[in-house]
């Protein structure tokens, strides 16, 4: 089916005029008119229409509808508040004395009016839920329209300018299809439960449905993308807590660390209409997927598993699988073989699981037949697994070098795979490996990021996991699927819907720690507000379940430096129902927190000009040293964790302080030697030189005393574990100015002495000349007299 037809069938009547005008975009492209040349004005017109007019229209409409839905949800909560207050008040009394009539009286609402109010709210909740569902479909179909129009432009008119990167950036800036409806659905679910329990006359349970959603035996899975530059850092964070899980250790090479991480190959099934892909993207209940999976190269005859997975409510997967030999795969897919030999062997040895095995075989065989499934996509990747042997409470896998390859024979004229075979033999027979350069470009797609998956059993929270998933090292990728990503990229022309993360894949996911921290705090604040709304309705919480975070955005084990922010609120972690932030000793041991508890010390220019800092360290921490305003209910700890226990200082810290002291003494000895030599060489008659020698001696004595004083002062700061600055400019400034003044005076006095000596010599020369002239004149007179 063409996408234009799909779009018209997907229109929700009340919002008919708010959809992407796909026909107008096609007309601007002049798809069937090649007579007129395609100019830069045409590119500008199409880009303006798609990126600004159409995308802005959809984005603004969706944002407005979301706000209205939130307002309607808040209005429903306010309507239910009187009933909730009455029930909470009654729950404070003895349960044996309570009755339905007393509850109604406590709430101040007559029974008939109470029932009517509940029914009105229930109808309003149904309408809101319907619109939430339609809004999700609205975002998805318009997102697909934008991608389709962009692809059509790049295919027809993209020789000079490809529009896809620009549109991806615009979709990131103006998201029209995201998975951000969960908080609203959470509030709606809470009200549904309250209303139905009230109508049925059942006692209200404080949000028990939410807190018991995950039992102690269930696994909760979280998926993330990891930028390739952050891979090593993420691995080191995990390796500090979990060892690498080695697959099939059979030789001594495993213990020596020579075994490579295993490559995993999965071959996914679908048909030419891609119903399995579409159901998975649209989150259809009981959406199923089918794949073949094995480790290593097929030529090594690994164990091959055929797996069928059904997604149930609550993201719970129900899986059926069995192992199958390579020679039986094609007959099984064609319906000519039903694992009879394996069944006979199991029955012969009396295996208890034979009935379950038969059921799995029949279910998967019927599923292939009903859906007319065939292999369409191969996913090959390298997996590094982390797990404590024998302990499955926390399992972590990191998939790298993900290559997605077409494995279909949908086009019988140019099939990628032999229609009579179940896999591409040229790949497996030649033992091709990543990056699969032998495969044609249009049949291969290299996923640009690594995929991190964390599975946690039960409700226990792990602080290091929370630090990792909230850091800048990973980007959350909920519902990510290799199968969906591969089909969306390699079969764009055959599908009419795309996953919400598609436009983000090609963008740079690497983030600065501070930006990631601020973004996470905003999400936590929003989630905390929704959590508070639900809690106030059920009486489970009396205040928002967060407090301002003092955790550094890069202060976790996953990062090095610390740049803390303490004004943003915190949301419950995705691993637990409520978040109780407890800074660790390492987290609290930072300069900004220390500055708030210790007296300030200013010296030199900073004492005269408070806004001027003479220290690079102080300038970099200027904003962090401001006092932190604590929220209500949170008091100053008084004694920091870092100040507790015995003082443990590394030797290099003491040696650095001693080395600085020795440098000061070295300068003092040099100045004293200079002054002593100058004094002895001056002689008794040279008073100026002697005075300057005394000045140099005073500077040397100051240097000696200052060096010792600074040494002892810094030693006390180290012992106190102070966070204040260790630098001080007074001593170096005095020594430098003193030496400069002494040198200037020395030059001035010497220059003056030279001038005086020259003047004296000139006067003596003039006197001698006058005497000679007088003698000559007297001699002449005597001659005249004679």
């Amino acid at each position: 089916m063409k996408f234009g037809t799909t779009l018209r069938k997907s229109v929700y009547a009340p919002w008919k005029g708010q959809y992407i005008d796909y026909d107008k975009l096609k007309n601007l492209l002049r798809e069937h008119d090649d007579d007129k040349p395609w100019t830069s004005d045409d590119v500008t017109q199409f880009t303006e229409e798609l990126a600004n007019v159409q995308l802005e229209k959809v984005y603004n409409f969706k944002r407005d509808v979301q706000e209205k839905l939130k307002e309607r949800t808040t209005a429903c909560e306010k309507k239910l508040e009187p009933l909730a207050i009455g029930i909470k008040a009654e729950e404070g009394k003895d349960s044996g004395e309570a009755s339905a009539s007393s509850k109604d009286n406590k709430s101040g609402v007559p029974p008939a009016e109470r029932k009517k109010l509940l029914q009105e709210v229930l109808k309003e909740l149904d309408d809101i839920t319907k619109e939430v569902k339609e809004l999700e479909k609205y975002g998805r179909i318009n997102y697909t329209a934008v991608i389709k129009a962009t692809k059509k432009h790049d295919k027809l008119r993209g020789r000079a300018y490809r529009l896809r990167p620009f549109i991806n950036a615009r979709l990131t800036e103006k998201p029209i299809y995201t998975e951000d409806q969960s908080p609203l659905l959470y509030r709606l679910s809470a009200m549904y439960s309250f209303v139905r329990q009230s109508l049925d006359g059942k006692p209200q349970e404080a949000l028990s449905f939410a807190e018991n959603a995950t039992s102690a035996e269930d696994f909760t899975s979280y998926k993330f993308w990891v930028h390739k530059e952050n891979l090593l850092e993420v691995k080191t964070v995990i390796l500090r807590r979990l060892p690498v899980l080695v697959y099939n250790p059979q030789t001594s090479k495993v213990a020596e660390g020579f075994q490579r991480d295993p490559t995993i190959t999965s071959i996914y099934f679908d048909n030419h209409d891609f119903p399995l892909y579409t159901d998975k993207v649209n989150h259809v209940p009981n959406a199923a997927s089918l794949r073949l999976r094995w480790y290593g190269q097929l030529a090594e005859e690994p164990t091959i598993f055929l797996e069928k997975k059904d997604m149930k409510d609550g993201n719970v997967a129900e899986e059926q699988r069995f192992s199958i030999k390579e020679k039986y795969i094609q007959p099984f897919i064609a319906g000519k073989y039903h694992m009879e030999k394996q069944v006979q062997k199991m029955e012969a040895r009396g295996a208890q699981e034979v009935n379950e095995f038969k059921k799995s075989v029949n279910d998967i065989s019927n599923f292939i037949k009903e859906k007319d499934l065939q292999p369409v996509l191969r996913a090959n990747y390298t997996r590094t697994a982390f797990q404590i042997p024998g302990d499955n409470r926390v399992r972590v896998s990191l998939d790298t070098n993900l290559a997605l390859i077409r494995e279909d024979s949908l086009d019988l004229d140019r099939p990628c795979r032999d229609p009579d075979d179940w896999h591409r033999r040229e790949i497996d027979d030649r033992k091709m490996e990543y990056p699969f350069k032998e495969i044609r470009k249009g049949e291969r797609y290299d996923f640009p990021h690594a995929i991190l998956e964390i599975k946690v059993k039960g409700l226990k929270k792990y602080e290091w996991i929370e630090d990792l998933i909230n850091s800048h090292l990973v980007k959350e990728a909920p519902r990510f699927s290799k199968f969906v990503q591969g089909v969306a990229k390699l079969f764009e022309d055959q599908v009419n819907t795309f996953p919400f993360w598609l436009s983000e894949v090609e963008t740079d996911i690497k983030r600065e720690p501070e930006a990631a921290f601020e973004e996470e705090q905003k999400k936590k604040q929003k989630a905390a507000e929704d959590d508070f709304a639900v809690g106030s309705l059920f009486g489970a919480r009396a205040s928002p379940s967060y407090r301002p975070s003092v955790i550094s955005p890069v202060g976790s084990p996953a990062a090095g430096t610390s740049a803390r922010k303490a004004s943003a609120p915190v949301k419950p972690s995705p691993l637990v129902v409520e978040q109780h932030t407890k800074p660790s000793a390492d987290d609290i041991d930072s300069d900004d927190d220390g500055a708030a508890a210790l007296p300030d010390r200013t010296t030199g220019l900073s004492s005269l000009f408070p806004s001027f800092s003479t220290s690079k360290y102080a300038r970099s921490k200027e904003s962090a040293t401001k006092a932190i305003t604590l929220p209500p209910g949170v008091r100053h700890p008084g004694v920091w964790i870092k100040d507790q226990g015995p003082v443990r200082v590394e030797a290099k810290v003491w040696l650095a302080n001693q080395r600085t002291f020795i440098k000061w003494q070295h300068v003092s000895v040099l100045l004293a030697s200079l002054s002593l030599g100058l004094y002895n060489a001056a002689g008794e008659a040279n008073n100026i030189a002697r005075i300057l020698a005394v000045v140099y001696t005073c500077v040397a004595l100051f240097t000696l005393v200052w060096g010792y004083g600074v040494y002892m002062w810094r030693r006390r700061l180290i012992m106190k574990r102070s966070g204040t600055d260790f630098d001080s400019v007074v001593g170096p400034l005095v020594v430098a100015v003193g030496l400069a003044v002494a040198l200037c005076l020395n030059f001035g006095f010497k220059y003056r002495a030279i001038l005086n000596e020259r003047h004296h010599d000139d006067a003596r020369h003039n006197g001698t000349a006058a005497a000679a002239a007088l003698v000559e004149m007297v001699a002449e007179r005597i001659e005249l007299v004679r």
Side-chain angles (χ1 to χ4, degrees):
M1 183 185 298
K2 290 187 176 181
F3 177 73
T5 304
T6 302
L7 177 60
R8 285 189 289 271
K9 290 184 177 181
S10 303
V11 169
Y12 181 50
W15 303 341
K16 185 176 181 180
Q18 302 299 330
Y19 285 78
I20 292 284
D21 194 343
Y22 192 68
D23 292 334
K24 183 177 181 181
L25 294 173
K26 289 174 63 178
N27 292 333
L28 289 175
L29 278 176
R30 302 202 306 270
E31 185 176 3
H32 303 292
D33 184 10
D34 294 331
D35 297 336
K36 296 175 59 178
W38 183 259
T39 64
S40 59
D41 293 337
D42 296 324
V43 175
T44 302
Q45 186 179 5
F46 179 82
T47 306
E48 176 71 19
E49 181 67 27
L50 176 60
N52 294 333
V53 178
Q54 299 294 333
L55 186 57
E56 285 281 351
K57 177 181 70 174
V58 173
Y59 174 75
N60 292 334
F61 177 76
K62 185 179 180 182
R63 183 186 57 189
D64 294 342
V65 173
Q66 283 178 329
E67 291 300 322
K68 291 178 182 178
L69 290 175
K70 291 178 182 178
E71 292 174 0
R72 291 168 64 184
T73 303
T74 303
C76 290
E77 290 170 345
K78 290 182 178 180
K79 289 181 181 179
L80 294 176
E81 276 184 5
L83 304 182
I85 293 173
I87 292 175
K88 288 182 217 172
E90 189 61 28
E91 285 175 350
K93 301 178 66 176
D94 183 66
S95 59
E97 299 177 359
S99 64
S101 61
S102 64
K103 288 182 182 180
D104 296 334
N105 293 335
K106 282 287 181 181
S107 63
V109 181
E113 186 176 345
R114 177 174 177 272
K115 184 177 181 180
K116 181 181 178 182
L117 176 61
L118 290 171
Q119 290 176 344
E120 290 177 354
V121 171
L122 183 61
K123 183 178 182 302
E124 178 68 6
L125 291 177
D126 290 338
D127 294 339
I128 294 175
T129 305
K130 179 183 177 182
E131 287 205 10
V132 169
K133 183 179 178 181
E134 293 295 336
L135 188 63
E136 195 269 342
K137 292 181 181 179
Y138 172 84
R140 186 192 321 124
I141 196 66
N142 282 285
Y143 175 82
T144 304
V146 172
I147 297 297
K148 287 282 188 180
T150 305
K151 184 176 183 298
K152 192 176 288 291
H153 169 274
D154 291 348
K155 183 178 180 181
L156 297 176
R157 311 295 184 183
R159 295 188 186 91
Y161 176 71
R162 289 181 57 82
L163 198 57
R164 186 65 173 268
F166 173 70
I167 292 299
N168 285 342
R170 285 289 290 167
L171 286 171
T172 302
E173 182 183 351
K174 303 285 185 182
I176 60 176
Y177 179 34
T178 57
E179 293 283 303
D180 60 354
Q181 302 297 336
S182 297
L184 183 60
L185 293 177
Y186 180 41
R187 296 169 64 184
L188 294 173
S189 177
M191 284 190 286
Y192 265 121
S193 178
F194 180 87
V195 170
R196 285 169 177 162
Q197 290 178 16
S198 299
L199 288 174
D200 295 340
K202 296 180 181 179
Q204 308 296 322
E205 299 178 359
L207 211 59
S208 60
F209 66 92
E211 303 201 4
N212 294 329
T214 303
S215 68
E217 298 299 324
D218 291 336
F219 282 94
T220 305
S221 178
Y222 307 94
K223 291 185 179 181
F224 306 90
W225 294 338
V226 182
H227 194 280
K228 290 185 177 181
E229 293 183 9
N230 294 333
L231 265 179
L232 182 60
E233 194 168 358
V234 171
K235 286 184 178 181
T236 55
V237 170
I238 301 172
L239 283 172
R240 292 190 184 106
R241 278 86 183 180
L242 299 175
V244 175
L245 182 65
V246 180
Y247 290 85
N248 298 326
Q250 297 174 351
T251 67
S252 61
K253 292 184 179 180
V254 176
E256 297 171 6
F258 292 119
Q259 181 176 356
R260 295 194 308 170
D261 290 330
T263 58
I264 301 178
T265 302
S266 298
I267 293 183
Y268 295 93
F269 288 69
D270 215 324
N271 61 36
H272 62 282
D273 292 328
F274 292 95
L276 302 189
Y277 164 85
T278 304
D279 290 347
K280 202 171 183 66
V281 173
N282 295 340
H283 311 318
V284 175
N286 300 323
S289 61
L290 183 67
R291 70 178 179 182
L292 288 162
R293 181 172 61 89
W294 66 88
Y295 289 88
Q297 292 288 347
L298 192 62
E300 299 170 358
E301 298 183 358
T303 302
I304 303 175
F305 292 96
L306 183 57
E307 302 172 341
K308 178 177 179 287
K309 185 181 293 186
D310 296 286
M311 295 302 298
K312 304 297 182 181
D313 293 337
N315 293 332
V316 178
E318 182 180 292
E319 188 175 78
Q320 293 178 306
R321 75 170 189 170
F322 58 87
S323 61
I324 183 172
K325 292 184 178 180
E326 179 184 354
K327 62 182 179 181
Y328 296 134
I329 294 178
Q330 184 59 33
F332 183 85
I333 295 174
K336 299 177 182 179
Y337 178 71
H338 296 85
M339 306 297 294
E340 289 88 357
K341 292 185 179 181
Q342 184 69 16
V343 171
Q344 291 175 3
K345 290 180 181 179
M346 296 178 69
E347 290 177 341
R349 64 174 182 263
Q352 297 180 353
E353 63 273 12
V354 62
N355 292 329
E356 183 179 351
F357 181 81
K358 286 181 180 180
K359 184 179 184 303
S360 298
V361 170
N362 291 332
D363 289 347
I364 294 178
S365 179
N366 293 334
F367 182 65
I368 294 175
K369 184 177 180 181
E370 291 173 3
K371 299 290 186 178
D372 190 23
L373 300 179
Q374 61 170 295
V376 295
L377 179 73
R378 175 189 294 245
N380 182 276
Y381 50 94
T382 302
R383 169 162 292 182
T384 307
F386 305 86
Q387 181 183 337
I388 298 175
D391 185 355
N392 66 347
R393 289 176 298 175
V394 179
R395 295 185 294 170
V396 179
S397 64
L398 187 62
D399 297 338
T400 56
N401 297 338
L402 172 58
L404 301 166
I405 303 171
R406 290 186 60 162
E407 198 88 6
D408 65 287
S409 59
L410 301 178
D411 187 356
L412 297 179
D413 295 331
R414 296 182 60 187
C416 298
R417 166 184 55 83
D418 184 356
D420 296 327
D421 205 348
W422 63 273
H423 67 117
R424 297 181 65 164
R425 288 200 173 272
E426 74 273 16
I427 295 178
D428 297 316
D429 292 347
R430 298 179 189 174
K431 297 184 179 181
M432 292 185 187
E433 294 184 343
Y434 185 85
F436 298 95
K437 294 183 179 180
E438 299 86 347
I439 304 298
R440 291 189 292 269
K441 188 176 180 181
E443 298 176 2
R444 185 192 78 242
Y445 169 71
D446 296 329
F447 190 70
H449 314 301
I451 303 166
L452 175 69
E453 183 173 9
I454 302 175
K455 291 185 178 180
V456 181
K457 188 176 183 180
L459 296 173
K460 183 180 178 180
K461 67 175 182 178
Y462 299 86
E463 185 176 358
W464 70 272
I465 295 180
E466 295 179 23
D467 290 341
L468 176 60
I469 66 180
N470 291 327
S471 72
H472 67 287
L473 299 175
V474 298
K475 177 178 175 56
E476 188 177 8
R479 296 182 178 271
F480 177 78
S481 166
K482 301 180 182 72
F483 168 57
V484 171
Q485 177 67 25
V487 173
K489 293 298 294 186
L490 297 174
F491 298 91
E492 281 185 327
D493 295 333
Q494 286 92 335
V495 296
N496 288 329
T497 184
F498 295 107
F500 66 92
W501 67 76
L502 189 62
S503 61
E504 299 179 359
V505 171
E506 305 300 333
T507 59
D508 186 8
I509 65 171
K510 191 175 181 181
R511 299 177 294 172
E512 292 296 328
E514 293 81 2
F517 180 74
E518 293 176 358
E519 179 182 341
E520 183 65 25
Q521 296 311 304
K522 291 178 181 178
K523 292 180 181 178
K524 289 178 178 180
Q525 180 180 11
K526 185 176 181 296
E529 292 172 355
D530 295 332
D531 186 57
F532 174 56
V534 174
S536 63
L537 177 62
F538 277 83
R541 299 171 178 83
S543 62
S545 59
Y546 72 91
R547 66 179 182 176
S549 172
V550 295
I551 302 296
S552 166
V554 287
S556 67
T561 59
S562 189
R564 298 173 186 267
K565 300 184 183 293
S567 60
V570 180
K571 143 189 157 178
S573 165
L575 299 181
V576 291
V577 176
E578 289 191 49
Q579 166 80 10
H580 301 285
T581 305
K582 296 182 180 180
S584 64
D586 292 335
D587 289 327
I588 294 180
D589 189 11
S590 70
D591 301 300
D592 55 338
D593 290 334
L598 297 169
D600 186 28
R601 176 188 62 81
T602 55
T603 58
L605 293 176
S606 58
S607 62
L608 298 175
F609 307 100
S611 61
F612 177 79
S613 175
T614 57
S615 166
K616 287 184 179 180
Y617 174 82
R619 287 197 298 271
S620 65
K621 298 296 181 182
E622 182 179 356
S623 60
T625 55
K626 296 180 180 178
I628 299 173
T629 303
L630 298 176
V634 179
R635 63 182 179 82
H636 196 282
V639 180
W640 299 104
I641 295 177
K642 70 182 182 64
D643 294 333
Q644 300 177 3
V647 178
R648 294 185 180 90
V649 182
E650 295 184 16
K652 64 182 181 180
V653 177
W654 296 116
L655 294 176
N657 193 24
Q658 292 175 3
R659 188 163 54 249
T660 306
F661 170 68
I662 293 172
K663 286 291 185 182
W664 277 107
Q665 305 314 302
H666 180 66
V667 173
S668 177
V669 170
L670 287 178
L671 291 176
S673 301
L674 174 65
S675 62
L676 182 62
L678 182 62
Y679 188 84
N680 292 333
E684 297 181 359
N686 194 347
N687 294 328
I688 296 176
R690 290 196 168 199
I691 293 174
L692 291 175
V694 172
V695 172
Y696 285 130
T697 302
C698 293
V699 175
L701 290 175
F702 174 82
T703 305
L704 178 68
V705 175
W706 175 263
Y708 180 76
V710 169
Y711 169 73
M712 297 303 297
W713 168 70
R714 286 174 177 164
R715 184 178 183 278
R716 286 194 298 270
L717 291 181
I718 294 172
M719 295 295 294
K720 292 180 180 179
R721 291 176 281 205
S722 174
T724 55
D725 293 353
F726 276 51
D727 60 336
S728 179
V729 299
V730 173
L733 190 62
V734 170
V735 172
V737 172
L739 291 176
V741 171
L743 290 174
C744 291
L745 290 175
N746 191 1
F747 176 79
F749 289 145
K750 187 64 177 177
Y751 182 74
R752 183 178 178 184
I754 292 173
L755 291 179
N756 290 337
E757 184 178 354
R758 181 177 296 178
H759 181 70
H760 182 267
D761 291 343
D762 290 343
R764 186 174 56 183
H765 177 72
N766 292 336
T768 302
L774 180 62
V775 171
E776 185 178 355
M777 185 179 64
V778 171
E780 290 179 354
R781 291 292 178 94
I782 292 173
E783 287 290 336
L784 292 174
V785 172
R786 287 180 182 179

